[in-house]
């Protein structure tokens, strides 16, 4: 069953075309990985898929609501973990008892109950990323979009995040994720390589060859 489908999506900034007729489908239960150098167009593609940025041409269809985890932590440092989650759940139209139930559910699922009253700004980077993921999952989306959400966190926190993502996929979510970590390639059901705004489907071996994988090293780190 289709989760999200992009059909010949293009994006121009002035005279610069940053996405060229990108077509892509992610099924429910599938994890699709986006690879590519910095500036190739991955974030633009994810922002359009999330509905935050308008494509210049092409169509996007989704089988439900989307959750989006941006590259940069984008929650409120001064609000507690619980307050941040309540805010995002309410932004998606859930109030009162339902809002509280969603917040409790996602805090339990992502092991955030221990930090309930802690201000988001005081969390470690790994826990901030987990909070950002919780905020994206709080309204129970069918599609999850992640822009380098696993970058810059320690290996154990990354492993934990991946366990959550795999659970999400098993529960029927469609996941589209941009990464620089070549060791994550094996976790994807399908891989797309973005070069100068054009997307090509590749195998794990092709992906490694394209980015000159030297073994265990994240490619293209900023
Ligand atoms: P990636 O995520 O692969 O690093 P991006 O999608 O961020 O790539 O960027 C793709 C291209 O689009 C880059 O050349 C970047 O400079 C350009 N770009 C991104 N956002 C804007 C913007 N708001 N205005 C103009 N150009 C932009």
């Amino acid at each position: 069953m289709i989760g999200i489908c992009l059909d010949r999506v293009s994006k121009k900034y002035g005279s610069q075309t940053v996405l060229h007729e990108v077509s892509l489908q992610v099924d429910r239960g599938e994890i699709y990985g986006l690879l590519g150098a910095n500036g190739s167009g991955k974030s633009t593609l994810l922002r359009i898929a999330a509905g935050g940025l308008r494509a210049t041409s092409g169509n996007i269809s989704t089988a439900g609501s989307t959750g989006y985890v941006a590259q940069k932590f984008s929650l409120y440092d001064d609000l507690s973990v619980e307050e941040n989650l309540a805010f995002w759940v309410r932004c998606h139209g859930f109030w009162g008892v339902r809002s509280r139930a969603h917040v409790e559910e996602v805090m339990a699922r992502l092991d955030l109950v221990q930090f309930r009253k802690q201000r988001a700004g005081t969390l470690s980077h790994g826990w901030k990323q987990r909070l950002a993921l919780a905020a994206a999952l709080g309204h129970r989306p069918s599609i999850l979009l992640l822009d380098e959400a696993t970058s810059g966190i320690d290996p154990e926190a990354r492993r934990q995040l991946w366990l959550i993502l795999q659970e999400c996929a098993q529960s029927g979510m469609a996941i589209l994720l941009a990464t620089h970590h070549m060791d994550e390639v094996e976790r994807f059901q399908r891989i797309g390589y973005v070069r100068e705004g054009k997307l090509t489907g590749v195998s794990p071996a092709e992906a490694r060859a394209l980015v000159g994988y030297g073994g265990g090293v994240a490619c293209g780190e900023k």
Side-chain angles (χ1 to χ4, degrees):
M1 206 196 330
I2 297 173
I4 184 164
C5 183
L6 279 71
D7 180 26
R8 284 167 293 155
V9 168
S10 294
K11 178 68 185 174
K12 283 186 177 186
Y13 286 112
S15 59
Q16 188 195 3
T17 303
V18 298
L19 285 181
H20 298 261
E21 302 215 329
V22 169
S23 294
L24 160 70
Q25 180 180 314
V26 189
D27 291 332
R28 310 246 344 219
E30 186 176 42
I31 305 181
Y32 188 113
L34 282 177
L35 300 172
N38 291 330
S40 56
K42 303 179 301 297
S43 297
T44 304
L45 178 57
L46 285 166
R47 275 186 228 134
I48 289 174
L53 185 66
R54 189 186 279 262
T56 308
S57 61
N59 292 310
I60 298 120
S61 47
T62 57
S65 63
T66 52
Y68 172 60
V69 184
Q71 201 169 354
K72 221 172 147 207
F73 184 70
S74 52
L75 299 170
Y76 295 104
D77 279 351
D78 288 342
L79 296 186
S80 69
V81 164
E82 187 176 22
E83 288 163 345
N84 265 293
L85 293 174
F87 173 77
W88 283 106
V89 166
R90 287 183 197 135
C91 283
H92 283 94
F94 297 99
W95 289 84
V97 177
R98 286 187 73 195
S99 154
R100 281 196 291 280
H102 278 37
V103 169
E104 292 302 326
E105 178 190 283
V106 80
M107 279 198 303
R109 188 169 172 200
L110 273 72
D111 209 16
L112 283 162
V113 176
Q114 57 189 313
F115 300 120
R116 175 193 291 272
K117 301 287 177 206
Q118 191 166 328
R119 283 187 181 191
T122 65
L123 295 172
S124 69
H125 183 56
W127 282 102
K128 277 185 182 171
Q129 282 306 87
R130 195 186 276 234
L131 174 58
L133 178 58
L137 293 174
H139 64 289
R140 300 181 187 159
S142 322
I143 301 129
L144 184 60
L145 307 158
L146 304 111
D147 195 353
E148 290 179 33
T150 55
S151 286
I153 57 175
D154 66 75
E156 178 54 23
R158 202 149 63 86
R159 199 184 66 81
Q160 296 284 341
L161 270 190
W162 265 104
L163 288 177
I164 298 163
L165 295 181
Q166 278 160 340
E167 268 176 37
C168 288
Q170 275 157 17
S171 73
M173 225 174 263
I175 302 181
L176 177 60
L177 176 148
T179 185
H180 277 312
H181 288 281
M182 285 306 293
D183 60 349
E184 292 178 351
V185 157
E186 305 300 337
R187 302 180 188 269
F188 303 137
Q189 269 86 55
R190 284 190 298 138
I191 307 166
Y193 186 77
V194 186
R195 186 180 355 218
E196 294 175 1
K198 292 184 184 146
L199 179 81
T200 314
V202 294
S203 68
E206 286 169 332
R208 283 194 201 90
L210 275 164
V211 298
Y213 180 54
V217 185
C219 71
E221 288 283 25
K222 286 176 185 164

